[in-house]
Amino acid sequence: MRRRVFLVTGIVLVALVLAVALVSLFWTPFPAADTTGGRLEGPGAHHLLGTDKLGRDLLTRLMIGARIAVAVGLGAVALGAVLGGLAGLLAGFANRWLDDTLAALLDILIAFPTLLLAMLVVAARGASLASAIVAIGLAMSAIVARLTRVLVKRVLAMDYVTAARTSGVSWPRIVTAHVLPNIWPTLAVNLALQFGLAVLAEASLSYLGLGPPPPNASWGRLLQEAQSTVLTAPTGAIAPGVLLVVLVVGVNLLADGLRDVADPTRRGHR
Amino acid sequence: MSLLTVSDLTVSSADGRTLVDGLSFSVGRGHRLGLIGESGSGKSLTTLAVAGLLPPGLRASGTVLLDGTSVLGAPERSLNRLRGRVAAVVFQEPSTALDPLMRLGHQVAEPLRRHQGLRGAALKAAVLASLEEVALPARVARAYPHEVSGGQRQRAAIAMALACRPALLIADEPTTALDVTVQAEVLALLDRLATAHEMALLFVSHDLAVVGKVTDEVVVLSAGRAVRTGPLRSVLADPGDAYTAALVASARRLDEALGGAL
């Protein structure tokens, strides 16, 4: 029951941010480049959350930031899942030599700090939304691959896979019927957690000025821009921070709840 | 010709230790053979070698002929034609022998679909018939493995193994994970099914009393070597070597404690 509450709360929080991101595609309170507001206005009737130091509406900027956060999260997870999943499956099935090589490679990749890797990618490709997605997705794929490899190996060691082999079931069929369904719950929960981490990583990159360049209003950039005026206009720093927390906590709760939905042994027992 | 002929089977690990040492035995059609030995005596490796499932790190030599086809070193493709149709395996631990995320009906259906080409209503009827054969109620088909008891899981695993009507059933400690009353039921079931389908049985156990319930011939393994081979009665009457004698004596003690007569 408690878990159900987690799941619902997670869904609500994530849906909230998704809705904001979607709405921002069609409508924002002010145009993105509108600088007609006063500088650093506090929350009010005209600008609900106030304005930044260039007179831009903060709510508008936050809504566009939601779009970027969601885009980077989904993009990085998609890239990480495909690349990492395939590499992990390969390593899981590989003979000892190939497996050892891949495992060592993955360990090196994981030991490499995400931000450093991201800086390399940004240096090579230039700062952009796509660079952020590629950088974070690459770092994530190493983690996903390592997890997938272990999960695949665990399933392959199970008697039901041996039993399937003894009754002559082909390898492709074993992968689709037994391996994928059995690794998917754990993998899905991990990918949901990775989504939250990707959003945070993008905020960090943007905070350092390596994310999507201005005038893109990533939450990390909003935090960085509000830093110098945090004492006189705290909303500018608090609002993006709160939104980051809402999305990341929401995704984590969702991930936790997902595990129970995906696993029949934990489903429907009180 | 025998259904299964194992001659001079030797399995050694990558670091050169000999795990199974020059083992030879054969199982004729409809015959039953018990493979007895303690943990680490090479029983399970022998069954894996017979089914062509040895882990990649191990080297095997000698010959294993299953229905006239050599198993050792054979490509996966030719093994696939043997597996299921000629030989099927029932494992020790029913909780890992069944996919936890697949309904039991689906798992039983899988070999039926593959080997008998059944689809739709015919497949459904065949699944129910298979379940009935191992004395499982029809509702089990809709259940996940964790929703039924250990004995029922093992019955489902047996139903899966039998689905392709194998000529040889390899049972690797099929009752060890079960409690004693359920053990007796599953043994009786195996006995009945083997008789009904004229199926040969290679029965592996560390428990002489259990083997005694289903087989008529035994091979006693110790440290990878066959120390005694022969009909069960003569092994009991005249154990011969020290290891077999100890095994028989302990089985007798247990039997006397339970008030039966071996």
Side-chain angles (χ1 to χ4, degrees):
Chain A
M1 202 50 228
R2 210 177 90 250
R3 298 220 163 256
R4 181 58 55 80
V5 176
F6 281 3
L7 180 62
V8 172
T9 315
I11 290 175
V12 168
L13 293 182
V14 172
L16 199 77
V17 176
L18 279 182
V20 168
L22 275 180
V23 169
S24 82
L25 291 173
F26 308 105
W27 176 85
T28 49
F30 290 87
D34 183 298
T35 54
T36 54
R39 297 179 62 212
L40 296 173
E41 273 179 34
H46 194 53
H47 294 285
L48 275 180
L49 288 176
T51 58
D52 68 1
K53 57 189 165 195
L54 295 180
R56 292 174 292 195
D57 181 53
L58 188 56
L59 183 59
T60 304
R61 309 262 289 155
L62 285 173
M63 289 176 69
I64 293 171
R67 199 154 82 193
I68 294 174
V70 171
V72 170
L74 287 181
V77 165
L79 187 65
V82 171
L83 264 182
L86 286 179
L89 268 179
L90 184 64
F93 274 97
N95 59 27
R96 195 181 246 171
W97 180 84
L98 180 59
D99 180 34
D100 284 352
T101 313
L102 280 171
L105 207 67
L106 290 178
D107 283 343
I108 293 171
L109 265 177
I110 289 170
F112 212 75
T114 307
L115 275 183
L116 207 57
L117 182 69
M119 283 183 197
L120 282 178
V121 173
V122 169
R125 303 179 30 118
S128 70
L129 185 64
S131 292
I133 292 176
V134 169
I136 298 168
L138 276 182
M140 189 192 297
S141 60
I143 297 171
V144 174
R146 189 160 71 166
L147 177 67
T148 310
R149 169 178 170 271
V150 174
L151 291 173
V152 167
K153 283 197 174 300
R154 201 187 59 187
V155 173
L156 289 184
M158 288 290 179
D159 284 343
Y160 54 83
V161 170
T162 316
R165 282 180 63 201
T166 52
S167 60
V169 179
S170 64
W171 277 118
R173 175 83 187 133
I174 287 177
V175 171
T176 53
H178 296 295
V179 177
L180 291 183
N182 273 290
I183 68 172
W184 177 242
T186 315
L187 209 54
V189 171
N190 187 262
L191 286 178
L193 292 175
Q194 294 291 340
F195 180 97
L197 292 177
V199 169
L200 285 180
E202 189 277 330
S204 311
L205 275 182
S206 292
Y207 183 84
L208 295 174
L210 299 169
N216 282 304
S218 155
W219 290 341
R221 177 174 298 283
L222 294 188
L223 278 173
Q224 195 266 328
E225 284 172 359
Q227 196 178 4
S228 54
T229 56
V230 70
L231 291 178
T232 45
T235 341
I238 293 171
V242 166
L243 276 177
L244 266 176
V245 170
V246 165
L247 181 55
V248 175
V249 168
V251 165
N252 283 349
L253 290 177
L254 184 71
D256 216 21
L258 260 184
R259 188 170 53 211
D260 300 334
V261 177
D263 185 349
T265 58
R266 303 171 68 141
R267 197 190 293 156
H269 287 277
R270 56 231 114 217
Chain B
M1 194 195 66
S2 290
L3 181 60
L4 168 67
T5 312
V6 175
S7 46
D8 200 24
L9 174 68
T10 301
V11 180
S12 49
S13 64
D15 55 16
R17 279 179 304 132
T18 305
L19 305 171
V20 176
D21 191 0
L23 186 62
S24 302
F25 61 86
S26 66
V27 184
R29 283 186 189 279
H31 281 234
R32 301 171 180 193
L33 181 75
L35 219 51
I36 307 180
E38 62 192 347
S39 307
S41 60
K43 316 180 293 278
S44 289
L45 279 178
T46 306
T47 57
L48 289 179
V50 167
L53 293 169
L54 275 182
L58 299 174
R59 275 194 309 272
S61 63
T63 47
V64 175
L65 288 178
L66 198 52
D67 200 22
T69 311
S70 175
V71 171
L72 293 182
E76 197 81 351
R77 189 194 303 268
S78 69
L79 286 179
N80 274 347
R81 274 187 285 112
L82 291 177
R83 288 172 180 159
R85 191 176 53 77
V86 178
V89 186
V90 177
F91 293 92
Q92 174 170 356
E93 187 56 66
S95 51
T96 60
L98 297 167
D99 188 333
L101 297 182
M102 209 188 258
R103 291 181 198 279
L104 289 170
H106 276 250
Q107 308 204 36
V108 176
E110 182 80 32
L112 288 170
R113 191 186 358 237
R114 290 183 47 74
H115 287 270
Q116 301 183 16
L118 298 175
R119 297 286 184 278
L123 180 62
K124 208 170 171 186
V127 168
L128 291 182
S130 298
L131 291 179
E132 200 186 331
E133 189 170 35
V134 294
L136 280 175
R139 62 172 175 79
V140 166
R142 308 253 331 132
Y144 286 101
H146 73 276
E147 293 172 334
V148 302
S149 72
Q152 286 176 319
R153 277 199 285 268
Q154 195 59 295
R155 285 164 190 271
I158 293 173
M160 279 173 70
L162 290 183
C164 333
R165 294 275 169 263
L168 171 70
L169 184 68
I170 302 170
D172 185 2
E173 304 244 13
T175 60
T176 308
L178 306 173
D179 67 43
V180 179
T181 46
V182 180
Q183 223 176 61
E185 283 171 27
V186 170
L187 286 176
L189 175 72
L190 278 174
D191 188 37
R192 181 166 61 74
L193 291 171
T195 310
H197 298 300
E198 293 173 341
M199 190 167 58
L201 206 56
L202 178 60
F203 194 97
V204 180
S205 180
H206 62 268
D207 188 339
L208 193 56
V210 166
V211 173
K213 288 209 173 75
V214 283
T215 65
D216 8 70
E217 268 206 46
V218 292
V219 174
V220 180
L221 282 179
S222 174
R225 214 183 284 269
V227 292
R228 184 79 162 82
T229 309
L232 185 65
R233 296 236 154 263
S234 68
V235 170
L236 284 177
D238 172 26
D241 72 290
Y243 181 76
T244 312
L247 202 67
V248 171
S250 78
R252 277 195 205 288
R253 269 203 303 280
L254 180 65
D255 206 49
E256 276 159 19
L258 294 173
L262 199 70

Coordinates of all heavy atoms in Angstrom, one line a residue, chain A residues 96 158-171 173 177-179 181-183 185 262-267 269, chain B residues 48 51-53 76 80 83-84 87-89 91-93 96-102 110-111 113-115 144 146 160 164:
Chain A
R96 N 34.7 -16.0 -22.7 CA 35.4 -15.5 -21.6 C 36.3 -14.3 -22.0 O 36.4 -13.2 -21.4 CB 36.3 -16.6 -20.9 CG 36.8 -16.1 -19.6 CD 37.6 -17.3 -19.0 NE 37.0 -17.8 -17.9 CZ 37.5 -18.9 -17.3 NH1 38.5 -19.6 -17.8 NH2 36.9 -19.4 -16.2
M158 N 20.5 -19.7 -14.8 CA 19.3 -20.3 -14.2 C 19.0 -21.7 -14.9 O 19.2 -21.8 -16.1 CB 18.1 -19.4 -14.3 CG 18.2 -18.2 -13.4 SD 18.0 -18.7 -11.7 CE 18.2 -17.2 -10.9
D159 N 18.4 -22.6 -14.1 CA 18.0 -23.9 -14.7 C 17.0 -23.8 -15.7 O 16.9 -24.6 -16.6 CB 17.5 -24.8 -13.5 CG 18.7 -25.3 -12.7 OD1 19.8 -25.3 -13.2 OD2 18.4 -25.8 -11.6
Y160 N 16.1 -22.7 -15.7 CA 15.1 -22.7 -16.7 C 15.6 -22.4 -18.1 O 15.1 -22.8 -19.1 CB 13.9 -21.7 -16.3 CG 14.3 -20.3 -16.0 CD1 14.5 -19.4 -17.0 CD2 14.4 -19.9 -14.7 CE1 14.8 -18.0 -16.7 CE2 14.7 -18.6 -14.3 CZ 14.9 -17.7 -15.3 OH 15.2 -16.4 -15.0
V161 N 16.8 -21.7 -18.1 CA 17.5 -21.5 -19.4 C 18.1 -22.8 -19.9 O 17.9 -23.2 -21.0 CB 18.5 -20.4 -19.3 CG1 19.4 -20.4 -20.6 CG2 17.9 -19.1 -19.1
T162 N 18.7 -23.5 -18.9 CA 19.2 -24.9 -19.3 C 18.1 -25.8 -19.7 O 18.2 -26.5 -20.7 CB 19.9 -25.5 -18.0 OG1 20.7 -24.5 -17.4 CG2 20.8 -26.6 -18.5
A163 N 17.0 -25.7 -19.0 CA 15.8 -26.6 -19.3 C 15.3 -26.2 -20.7 O 15.0 -27.1 -21.5 CB 14.7 -26.4 -18.3
A164 N 15.3 -24.9 -21.0 CA 14.8 -24.5 -22.4 C 15.8 -25.0 -23.4 O 15.4 -25.5 -24.5 CB 14.8 -23.0 -22.4
R165 N 17.1 -25.0 -23.1 CA 18.1 -25.5 -24.1 C 18.0 -27.0 -24.2 O 18.0 -27.5 -25.3 CB 19.5 -25.2 -23.6 CG 19.9 -23.7 -23.9 CD 21.3 -23.5 -23.4 NE 22.3 -24.3 -24.1 CZ 23.5 -24.5 -23.6 NH1 23.9 -24.1 -22.4 NH2 24.4 -25.3 -24.3
T166 N 17.7 -27.7 -23.1 CA 17.6 -29.2 -23.3 C 16.4 -29.5 -24.0 O 16.3 -30.6 -24.6 CB 17.6 -29.9 -21.9 OG1 16.5 -29.3 -21.1 CG2 18.9 -29.9 -21.2
S167 N 15.4 -28.7 -24.0 CA 14.2 -29.0 -24.8 C 14.3 -28.4 -26.2 O 13.4 -28.4 -27.0 CB 12.9 -28.7 -24.2 OG 12.8 -27.3 -23.9
G168 N 15.5 -27.9 -26.6 CA 15.8 -27.6 -27.9 C 15.3 -26.2 -28.4 O 15.2 -25.9 -29.5
V169 N 15.1 -25.3 -27.4 CA 14.7 -23.9 -27.7 C 15.9 -23.2 -28.3 O 17.0 -23.2 -27.7 CB 14.1 -23.2 -26.5 CG1 13.7 -21.8 -26.8 CG2 12.9 -24.0 -25.9
S170 N 15.7 -22.4 -29.4 CA 16.8 -21.7 -30.0 C 17.2 -20.5 -29.2 O 16.5 -20.0 -28.4 CB 16.4 -21.2 -31.4 OG 15.4 -20.3 -31.3
W171 N 18.5 -20.0 -29.4 CA 19.0 -18.9 -28.6 C 18.2 -17.6 -28.8 O 17.9 -17.0 -27.8 CB 20.5 -18.6 -28.9 CG 21.4 -19.5 -28.2 CD1 22.3 -20.5 -28.7 CD2 21.6 -19.6 -26.7 NE1 22.9 -21.1 -27.7 CE2 22.5 -20.6 -26.5 CE3 21.0 -18.9 -25.7 CZ2 22.9 -20.9 -25.2 CZ3 21.4 -19.3 -24.4 CH2 22.4 -20.2 -24.2
R173 N 15.1 -17.3 -29.3 CA 13.9 -17.5 -28.6 C 14.1 -17.4 -27.1 O 13.3 -16.9 -26.3 CB 13.3 -18.8 -29.0 CG 12.0 -19.2 -28.2 CD 10.8 -18.6 -28.8 NE 9.7 -19.0 -28.0 CZ 8.8 -18.1 -27.6 NH1 8.8 -16.8 -28.0 NH2 7.8 -18.4 -26.8
A177 N 12.1 -14.8 -24.9 CA 11.1 -15.4 -24.0 C 11.6 -15.4 -22.6 O 10.8 -15.2 -21.7 CB 10.8 -16.8 -24.4
H178 N 12.9 -15.6 -22.3 CA 13.4 -15.7 -20.9 C 14.3 -14.6 -20.5 O 14.1 -14.0 -19.4 CB 14.1 -17.0 -20.8 CG 13.2 -18.2 -21.0 ND1 12.1 -18.5 -20.1 CD2 13.2 -19.2 -21.9 CE1 11.5 -19.6 -20.6 NE2 12.2 -20.0 -21.6
V179 N 15.3 -14.3 -21.3 CA 16.3 -13.3 -20.8 C 15.7 -11.9 -20.7 O 15.7 -11.3 -19.6 CB 17.6 -13.3 -21.7 CG1 18.5 -12.2 -21.3 CG2 18.2 -14.7 -21.7
P181 N 12.5 -10.6 -20.6 CA 11.5 -10.4 -19.6 C 12.1 -10.4 -18.2 O 11.6 -9.7 -17.3 CB 10.5 -11.6 -19.8 CG 10.7 -12.0 -21.2 CD 12.2 -11.8 -21.5
N182 N 13.1 -11.3 -18.0 CA 13.6 -11.4 -16.6 C 14.6 -10.3 -16.2 O 14.8 -10.0 -15.1 CB 14.3 -12.7 -16.4 CG 13.3 -13.8 -16.0 OD1 12.8 -13.7 -14.9 ND2 13.0 -14.7 -16.9
I183 N 15.3 -9.7 -17.2 CA 16.2 -8.6 -16.9 C 15.4 -7.2 -17.0 O 15.9 -6.3 -16.4 CB 17.4 -8.5 -17.8 CG1 17.1 -8.1 -19.2 CG2 18.2 -9.8 -17.7 CD1 18.4 -7.9 -20.0
P185 N 12.6 -5.8 -15.7 CA 12.1 -5.1 -14.5 C 13.3 -4.3 -13.8 O 13.2 -3.1 -13.5 CB 11.6 -6.2 -13.5 CG 11.2 -7.3 -14.4 CD 12.2 -7.3 -15.6
A262 N 6.3 -4.4 -12.2 CA 6.9 -5.2 -13.1 C 7.1 -6.6 -12.6 O 7.3 -7.6 -13.4 CB 8.2 -4.6 -13.6
D263 N 7.1 -6.8 -11.3 CA 7.5 -8.1 -10.7 C 6.3 -8.8 -10.1 O 5.8 -8.4 -9.1 CB 8.5 -7.9 -9.6 CG 9.1 -9.2 -9.1 OD1 8.5 -10.2 -9.4 OD2 10.0 -9.1 -8.3
P264 N 5.8 -9.9 -10.8 CA 4.6 -10.6 -10.3 C 4.7 -11.1 -8.9 O 3.7 -11.3 -8.2 CB 4.4 -11.7 -11.3 CG 5.7 -11.9 -12.0 CD 6.4 -10.6 -12.0
T265 N 6.0 -11.4 -8.5 CA 6.1 -12.0 -7.1 C 5.8 -11.0 -6.1 O 5.6 -11.3 -4.9 CB 7.5 -12.6 -6.9 OG1 8.5 -11.6 -7.1 CG2 7.8 -13.7 -7.8
R266 N 5.9 -9.7 -6.4 CA 5.6 -8.6 -5.5 C 4.3 -8.0 -5.7 O 3.9 -7.0 -5.1 CB 6.7 -7.6 -5.5 CG 8.1 -8.2 -5.3 CD 9.1 -7.2 -5.6 NE 9.1 -6.1 -4.6 CZ 10.2 -5.5 -4.1 NH1 11.3 -5.9 -4.5 NH2 10.1 -4.5 -3.3
R267 N 3.6 -8.5 -6.7 CA 2.3 -7.8 -7.1 C 1.1 -8.4 -6.3 O 1.1 -9.6 -6.1 CB 2.1 -8.1 -8.6 CG 1.1 -7.2 -9.3 CD 0.7 -7.7 -10.6 NE 1.9 -7.6 -11.6 CZ 2.0 -8.4 -12.6 NH1 1.1 -9.3 -12.9 NH2 3.0 -8.3 -13.4
H269 N 0.2 -8.7 -3.3 CA 0.2 -9.3 -2.0 C 0.2 -8.2 -0.9 O 0.8 -7.2 -1.0 CB 1.5 -10.1 -1.8 CG 1.5 -11.4 -2.6 ND1 0.8 -12.5 -2.2 CD2 2.0 -11.6 -3.8 CE1 1.0 -13.4 -3.1 NE2 1.6 -12.9 -4.1
Chain B
L48 N 25.2 -33.4 -17.1 CA 25.4 -32.3 -18.1 C 26.1 -32.8 -19.3 O 25.7 -32.4 -20.4 CB 26.2 -31.2 -17.4 CG 25.5 -30.4 -16.3 CD1 26.4 -29.4 -15.7 CD2 24.2 -29.7 -16.8
A51 N 23.7 -34.5 -21.6 CA 22.7 -33.6 -22.3 C 23.5 -32.6 -23.2 O 22.8 -31.8 -23.8 CB 21.9 -32.9 -21.3
G52 N 24.8 -32.7 -23.2 CA 25.6 -31.8 -24.0 C 25.5 -30.4 -23.5 O 25.5 -29.4 -24.2
L53 N 25.5 -30.2 -22.2 CA 25.4 -28.9 -21.5 C 26.6 -28.6 -20.7 O 26.5 -27.7 -19.8 CB 24.1 -28.9 -20.6 CG 22.8 -29.0 -21.3 CD1 21.7 -29.3 -20.3 CD2 22.5 -27.7 -22.1
E76 N 25.8 -27.4 -31.7 CA 24.5 -27.1 -31.1 C 23.3 -27.5 -32.0 O 22.3 -28.1 -31.5 CB 24.4 -25.5 -30.9 CG 23.3 -25.1 -29.9 CD 23.8 -25.2 -28.4 OE1 24.8 -25.8 -28.2 OE2 23.1 -24.8 -27.6
N80 N 20.4 -29.9 -30.7 CA 19.0 -29.5 -30.6 C 18.0 -30.5 -31.1 O 16.8 -30.6 -30.7 CB 18.8 -28.2 -31.4 CG 19.2 -27.0 -30.5 OD1 19.3 -27.1 -29.3 ND2 19.3 -25.8 -31.1
R83 N 17.8 -33.1 -28.2 CA 17.2 -32.6 -26.9 C 15.7 -32.5 -27.0 O 15.2 -32.1 -28.0 CB 17.8 -31.2 -26.6 CG 19.2 -31.2 -26.2 CD 19.7 -29.8 -26.2 NE 21.1 -29.7 -25.8 CZ 21.9 -28.6 -26.0 NH1 21.4 -27.6 -26.7 NH2 23.1 -28.6 -25.7
G84 N 15.1 -32.9 -25.9 CA 13.7 -32.8 -25.8 C 13.1 -34.1 -26.4 O 12.4 -34.8 -25.8
A87 N 16.2 -36.9 -25.2 CA 16.5 -36.8 -23.8 C 16.0 -35.5 -23.2 O 16.1 -34.4 -23.9 CB 18.0 -36.9 -23.5
A88 N 15.4 -35.5 -22.0 CA 14.9 -34.3 -21.4 C 15.4 -34.3 -19.9 O 15.7 -35.4 -19.4 CB 13.4 -34.1 -21.4
V89 N 15.6 -33.2 -19.3 CA 16.2 -33.1 -18.0 C 15.2 -32.5 -17.0 O 14.5 -31.5 -17.3 CB 17.5 -32.3 -18.0 CG1 18.1 -32.3 -16.6 CG2 18.4 -32.7 -19.1
F91 N 15.4 -30.8 -13.2 CA 16.5 -30.4 -12.3 C 16.1 -30.5 -10.8 O 15.0 -30.7 -10.5 CB 16.8 -28.9 -12.7 CG 17.4 -28.8 -14.0 CD1 16.7 -28.5 -15.1 CD2 18.8 -28.9 -14.2 CE1 17.2 -28.4 -16.4 CE2 19.4 -28.8 -15.4 CZ 18.6 -28.6 -16.5
Q92 N 17.2 -30.3 -10.0 CA 17.1 -30.4 -8.6 C 16.1 -29.3 -8.0 O 15.3 -29.6 -7.1 CB 18.5 -30.3 -8.0 CG 18.4 -30.2 -6.5 CD 19.9 -30.4 -5.9 OE1 20.8 -30.5 -6.7 NE2 20.0 -30.3 -4.6
E93 N 16.3 -28.1 -8.4 CA 15.7 -27.0 -7.7 C 14.5 -26.4 -8.5 O 14.8 -25.7 -9.5 CB 16.8 -25.9 -7.5 CG 16.3 -24.7 -6.6 CD 15.9 -25.1 -5.2 OE1 16.6 -25.7 -4.5 OE2 14.6 -24.9 -5.0
T96 N 14.3 -22.6 -9.5 CA 15.1 -22.0 -10.5 C 14.9 -22.7 -11.9 O 15.3 -22.2 -12.9 CB 16.6 -22.0 -10.2 OG1 17.0 -23.4 -10.1 CG2 16.9 -21.3 -8.9
A97 N 14.2 -23.8 -11.9 CA 14.0 -24.5 -13.1 C 12.8 -24.0 -13.9 O 12.6 -24.3 -15.1 CB 13.8 -26.0 -12.9
L98 N 12.1 -23.0 -13.3 CA 10.9 -22.4 -14.0 C 11.1 -20.9 -14.0 O 11.6 -20.3 -13.1 CB 9.6 -22.7 -13.2 CG 9.3 -24.2 -13.1 CD1 8.2 -24.4 -12.1 CD2 8.8 -24.7 -14.5
D99 N 10.8 -20.4 -15.2 CA 10.9 -18.9 -15.3 C 9.9 -18.2 -14.4 O 8.7 -18.4 -14.5 CB 10.6 -18.6 -16.8 CG 11.0 -17.1 -17.1 OD1 10.9 -16.3 -16.2 OD2 11.3 -16.8 -18.3
P100 N 10.5 -17.4 -13.5 CA 9.6 -16.8 -12.5 C 8.6 -15.8 -13.1 O 7.6 -15.4 -12.4 CB 10.5 -16.0 -11.5 CG 11.8 -15.8 -12.3 CD 11.9 -17.0 -13.2
L101 N 8.8 -15.3 -14.3 CA 7.9 -14.3 -14.9 C 7.0 -14.9 -15.9 O 6.4 -14.1 -16.7 CB 8.8 -13.2 -15.5 CG 9.6 -12.4 -14.5 CD1 10.4 -11.3 -15.2 CD2 8.8 -11.9 -13.4
M102 N 6.9 -16.2 -16.0 CA 6.1 -16.8 -17.1 C 5.0 -17.7 -16.4 O 5.4 -18.5 -15.5 CB 7.0 -17.6 -18.0 CG 6.4 -17.7 -19.4 SD 7.4 -18.8 -20.4 CE 8.4 -17.7 -21.3
E110 N 5.4 -24.2 -24.2 CA 6.6 -24.0 -25.1 C 7.1 -25.2 -25.8 O 7.2 -25.3 -27.0 CB 7.7 -23.3 -24.2 CG 8.9 -23.0 -24.9 CD 8.8 -21.6 -25.7 OE1 8.0 -20.8 -25.2 OE2 9.4 -21.5 -26.8
P111 N 7.5 -26.3 -25.1 CA 7.9 -27.5 -25.8 C 6.9 -28.2 -26.6 O 7.2 -28.7 -27.7 CB 8.4 -28.4 -24.7 CG 7.8 -27.9 -23.4 CD 7.6 -26.5 -23.6
R113 N 4.5 -26.7 -28.3 CA 4.4 -25.9 -29.5 C 5.6 -26.2 -30.5 O 5.5 -26.4 -31.6 CB 4.5 -24.4 -29.2 CG 4.1 -23.5 -30.3 CD 4.3 -22.0 -30.1 NE 4.7 -21.7 -28.7 CZ 4.0 -20.9 -28.0 NH1 2.9 -20.4 -28.4 NH2 4.5 -20.6 -26.8
R114 N 6.8 -26.3 -29.8 CA 8.0 -26.6 -30.7 C 8.0 -28.0 -31.3 O 8.3 -28.1 -32.4 CB 9.2 -26.4 -29.8 CG 9.5 -25.0 -29.4 CD 10.8 -25.0 -28.7 NE 11.8 -25.8 -29.4 CZ 12.4 -25.3 -30.5 NH1 12.1 -24.1 -30.9 NH2 13.3 -26.1 -31.1
H115 N 7.7 -29.0 -30.4 CA 8.0 -30.3 -30.9 C 6.8 -31.0 -31.5 O 6.9 -31.9 -32.3 CB 8.5 -31.2 -29.7 CG 9.9 -30.8 -29.3 ND1 10.9 -31.4 -29.9 CD2 10.3 -29.9 -28.5 CE1 12.1 -30.9 -29.4 NE2 11.7 -30.0 -28.5
Y144 N 1.7 -18.2 -11.6 CA 3.1 -18.0 -11.7 C 3.8 -19.0 -10.8 O 3.2 -19.4 -9.8 CB 3.5 -16.6 -11.3 CG 3.1 -15.6 -12.4 CD1 2.0 -14.8 -12.2 CD2 3.9 -15.4 -13.5 CE1 1.7 -13.8 -13.2 CE2 3.6 -14.5 -14.5 CZ 2.5 -13.7 -14.3 OH 2.2 -12.8 -15.3
H146 N 5.8 -18.8 -8.3 CA 5.8 -18.5 -6.9 C 4.4 -18.7 -6.2 O 4.3 -18.7 -5.0 CB 6.3 -17.1 -6.6 CG 5.3 -16.0 -7.0 ND1 5.1 -15.5 -8.3 CD2 4.4 -15.4 -6.3 CE1 4.1 -14.7 -8.3 NE2 3.7 -14.5 -7.1
M160 N 6.9 -30.3 -18.2 CA 7.6 -29.7 -19.3 C 8.6 -30.7 -20.0 O 8.7 -30.7 -21.2 CB 8.4 -28.5 -18.8 CG 7.6 -27.2 -18.6 SD 8.7 -26.0 -17.8 CE 9.8 -25.6 -19.2
C164 N 7.7 -33.4 -24.7 CA 8.2 -33.9 -26.0 C 8.3 -35.4 -26.1 O 8.9 -35.9 -27.0 CB 9.5 -33.3 -26.4 SG 9.9 -31.7 -25.7

